[in-house]
Amino acid sequence: ALIASMVKVALAAQRDHGDSPAAVLAGMNETLCGRLAGQYVTAAYLFIDTRSRMIRYGAAGHPPMLRSRRANGEVHEVEQNGLILGFVQNPGYTELEEPLRTDDRFLLYTDGLIEACNADDDLFGLDRLKQSLSAATGLHSESVTDDLLTTVDRWSGRPPGDDLTLVLVDWDEQS
């Protein structure tokens, strides 16, 4: 709980840099470095610039963001990753910039989702997650996260061994 509070404060302190994932991650790292008592924090940051119709994305030790096309279910990994937060001073975070498309769907998630294990200790994995996201193309955004969690739960048959957090964003012209 203490680390979660520290992360919230570190993120809030980056308000002036909100449009730059690299700057936000660097600022958070500066705030957290040396204060995590041997713990670590991963993070992913997606900024959707509706005026310029661009996205900017960066991460710190986090699984790749998934970007899909709702029109055809095509899913690809977006990875722009740096070191975990709070580990090293000034690691030099970077960000990726790409055009925003009308039917974009973005999925950010914690590693507990892809590291869920079944009775044979097989991991759910990134490929299964991509297949599940592609299969959910026709679902409204409100239903996609429930569907993904249900799919992982049924596949695993076990209680979650790690945190499971999902953030899903659908973009269209009316957004």
Side-chain angles (χ1 to χ4, degrees), residues 65-86:
M65 176 177 73
L66 297 182
R67 183 178 189 177
S68 70
R69 308 277 321 250
R70 287 175 291 158
N72 61 15
E74 177 185 316
V75 178
H76 74 276
E77 300 168 37
V78 179
E79 190 156 8
Q80 188 69 24
N81 228 337
L83 288 175
I84 56 178
L85 296 175

Side-chain angles (χ1 to χ4, degrees), residues 20-23 25-26 45 56-60 79-83 91-97:
S20 172
L25 293 170
Y45 192 96
R56 286 186 285 286
Y57 174 76
E79 190 156 8
Q80 188 69 24
N81 228 337
L83 288 175
Y93 295 100
T94 59
E95 61 191 55
L96 171 78
E97 185 173 71

